[in-house]
Amino acid sequence: MTTKLLSMQVPFHRADLGEDEVSAVAAVIRSGWLTMGPKTLEFERQFAAYVGASHAVAVSSCTAALHLALEAVGISRDHEVLVPTTTFTATAEVVTYLGARPVFVDIDPQTFNIDPLDLERRITPRTRAIIPVHFAGLPCDMAEILEIAARRRLHVIEDAAHALPSTYHDKKIGAISELTAFSFYATKTLTTAEGGMISTENEDYVRRLQVMRLHGIARDAWKRYSAEGSWFYEVLEAGFKYNFTDLQAALGIVQLAKCDGMNRARERVARRYSSAFRSLAALEAPPTASDRTTSWHLYVLRLHLDRLRVDRNRFIQELADRGVGTSVHFIPLHLQPAYQRNYGYRTGDFPVAEREYQRSLSLPIYPTMSEEEIDHVIWAVSDVASTFSR
Ligand SMILES: Cc1ncc(COP(=O)(O)O)c(C=O)c1O
């Protein structure tokens, strides 16, 4: 190994932002209209067309998107909402905003997506909705989930924070169930620094989402400071301050145009990793499936711990010592103090999620990775795996 490779540092993430984004944001600043306005509407139109949905409503985060979607379908106190335990806390926390109860579900050991069999077992007379999370970008088995939802009369709100662009049975995620929530957080596959989007086919939901994202004020409230606006407004509901801004939309429009290209670049990284790791018995590459495509938001490597003399945490430390930044997705929610204290969850409740959590780590994967950086990650992972193999 050359000294250059040994001394290299590969961060876990680096956003793909360039001069086009800088110019687009500068143009919005010069226009004098900073918050939600014409650029946001343009981004919503382009986003809906990109995923093949009739409507898209931009909001301040995916957390806000999930909250508003649950509110739109009428989730309230005493309701239960099914959520995989392997997800970010946002997916479950939004359920509690409405006074409802998040009910955790175990995951499929191959995909880390919600397990449809366990899901069906946890339905009670109080269950009203399911939030499937497309873990790492690989879509859930939506046919099975939609079939259960139709039979048990449940709403489906997809958490697609990882799934732009991903497809299931040749349809983009965002055009499949009644409401889908996306994230444009800094590390996501399309970023506006912070931001989110809800796609839907249903015009009643669109009206509700548009009112509730801006204080519950009647539609087009954002125009009240424009030339065509008026000082008069009506507050229809006690809503939320969840609107998007034109500064974010300017970033989003440039990023959306690059989305397919950025996806191909991440796919290339994933292919190089998976073919390099195939020959190492201690490593398991993430799954793919012939009926769906993934955004490759994350590349989750699994360790066969019985073939190694180190655990996952030491593996991560050894990679850090070799200059490779990693992360873990996710610590199952039922192991977190807040959900244990408030809902009585305990270690041991979801054995698949716990086992997979103990043996997984996420490697760097982003469009701006150079060939040398990809080589370096492959070298470091292979070196740790062979140094500590049994
Ligand atoms: C699965 C999942 N859902 C929701 C979110 C929340 O997204 P945001 O930060 O846009 O609110 C995240 C963020 O990391 C996530 O990973």
Side-chain angles (χ1 to χ4, degrees):
M1 210 28 64
T2 64
T3 356
K4 190 174 157 223
L5 260 186
L6 278 173
S7 62
M8 188 178 250
Q9 296 287 324
V10 184
F12 176 65
H13 180 74
R14 192 166 56 222
D16 185 357
L17 297 167
E19 286 310 308
D20 288 349
E21 283 86 347
V22 173
S23 314
V25 170
V28 170
I29 294 171
R30 290 198 185 95
S31 82
W33 190 278
L34 301 182
T35 186
M36 189 161 68
K39 281 274 173 214
T40 300
L41 300 192
E42 179 57 28
F43 181 46
E44 288 177 336
R45 270 194 297 275
Q46 290 189 14
F47 189 91
Y50 181 73
V51 298
S54 301
H55 308 280
V57 179
V59 290
S60 52
S61 66
C62 182
T63 308
L66 290 166
H67 181 195
L68 291 178
L70 288 170
E71 199 274 342
V73 303
I75 300 301
S76 64
R77 295 184 87 72
D78 302 328
H79 290 161
E80 293 176 359
V81 177
L82 297 163
V83 173
T85 187
T86 300
T87 184
F88 187 56
T89 185
T91 318
E93 130 201 343
V94 292
V95 176
T96 73
Y97 292 178
L98 294 156
R101 184 186 181 91
V103 172
F104 295 140
V105 179
D106 213 340
I107 54 163
D108 175 287
Q110 289 306 313
T111 61
F112 288 21
N113 283 333
I114 198 163
D115 173 4
L117 277 179
D118 194 47
L119 179 139
E120 185 136 27
R121 275 198 291 272
R122 295 180 193 274
I123 295 172
T124 74
R126 293 176 177 214
T127 311
R128 291 292 181 281
I130 309 167
I131 310 183
V133 177
H134 306 300
F135 180 86
L138 188 71
C140 296
D141 192 337
M142 289 310 296
E144 205 163 343
I145 290 168
L146 291 172
E147 186 278 317
I148 296 171
R151 186 159 37 77
R152 308 295 292 264
R153 302 175 66 79
L154 303 175
H155 294 286
V156 175
I157 293 160
E158 291 173 62
D159 180 339
H162 300 181
L164 183 79
S166 297
T167 62
Y168 177 81
H169 294 182
D170 297 327
K171 264 190 173 175
K172 278 221 177 73
I173 294 299
I176 294 174
S177 45
E178 54 183 337
L179 290 152
T180 304
F182 293 90
S183 173
F184 307 138
Y185 178 68
T187 58
K188 296 299 192 285
T189 53
L190 180 159
T191 187
T192 61
E194 299 278 358
M197 189 75 85
I198 308 150
S199 65
T200 182
E201 296 305 301
N202 182 317
E203 284 183 22
D204 292 337
Y205 289 155
V206 173
R207 276 189 289 278
R208 182 75 184 177
L209 297 166
Q210 286 176 338
V211 166
M212 296 307 279
R213 77 172 155 182
L214 197 54
H215 301 295
I217 298 175
R219 258 179 105 191
D220 290 344
W222 62 270
K223 284 188 185 160
R224 69 193 186 282
Y225 295 115
S226 73
E228 54 180 308
S230 128
W231 59 266
F232 182 77
Y233 59 86
E234 278 186 305
V235 178
L236 306 178
E237 299 285 348
F240 306 98
K241 175 67 171 164
Y242 278 166
N243 61 281
F244 205 61
T245 72
D246 273 16
L247 281 173
Q248 292 164 300
L251 280 175
I253 289 168
V254 177
Q255 290 262 299
L256 194 63
K258 295 177 13 183
C259 203
D260 289 341
M262 292 194 292
N263 181 236
R264 282 192 295 274
R266 280 191 307 272
E267 186 175 13
R268 221 180 83 66
V269 179
R271 279 184 203 276
R272 287 216 46 211
Y273 284 169
S274 292
S275 71
F277 301 151
R278 203 169 293 140
S279 55
L280 291 156
L283 306 179
E284 185 180 329
T288 53
S290 56
D291 64 344
R292 57 202 90 171
T293 64
T294 170
S295 66
W296 287 114
H297 167 53
L298 301 174
Y299 186 96
V300 176
L301 181 68
R302 277 176 268 188
L303 307 176
H304 289 295
L305 296 173
D306 54 342
R307 291 172 182 269
L308 289 167
R309 288 181 284 115
V310 288
D311 64 8
R312 186 272 319 274
N313 294 358
R314 176 77 188 279
F315 202 98
I316 284 178
Q317 187 51 54
E318 292 292 331
L319 286 178
D321 293 346
R322 288 162 179 76
V324 174
T326 57
S327 189
V328 173
H329 296 88
F330 290 95
I331 306 166
L333 292 179
H334 73 278
L335 302 180
Q336 296 287 9
Y339 296 104
Q340 295 201 340
R341 190 177 65 245
N342 295 332
Y343 302 104
Y345 287 110
R346 293 283 169 265
T347 302
D349 285 348
F350 300 93
V352 180
E354 286 174 34
R355 188 188 67 219
E356 298 304 319
Y357 159 61
Q358 291 298 344
R359 69 185 195 101
S360 58
L361 65 150
S362 304
L363 297 180
I365 183 165
Y366 38 91
T368 59
M369 279 183 89
S370 65
E371 286 305 313
E372 292 73 28
E373 287 176 318
I374 302 170
D375 288 342
H376 183 72
V377 175
I378 291 173
W379 165 76
V381 170
S382 310
D383 188 46
V384 176
S386 45
T387 305
F388 296 101
S389 74
R390 265 191 217 279

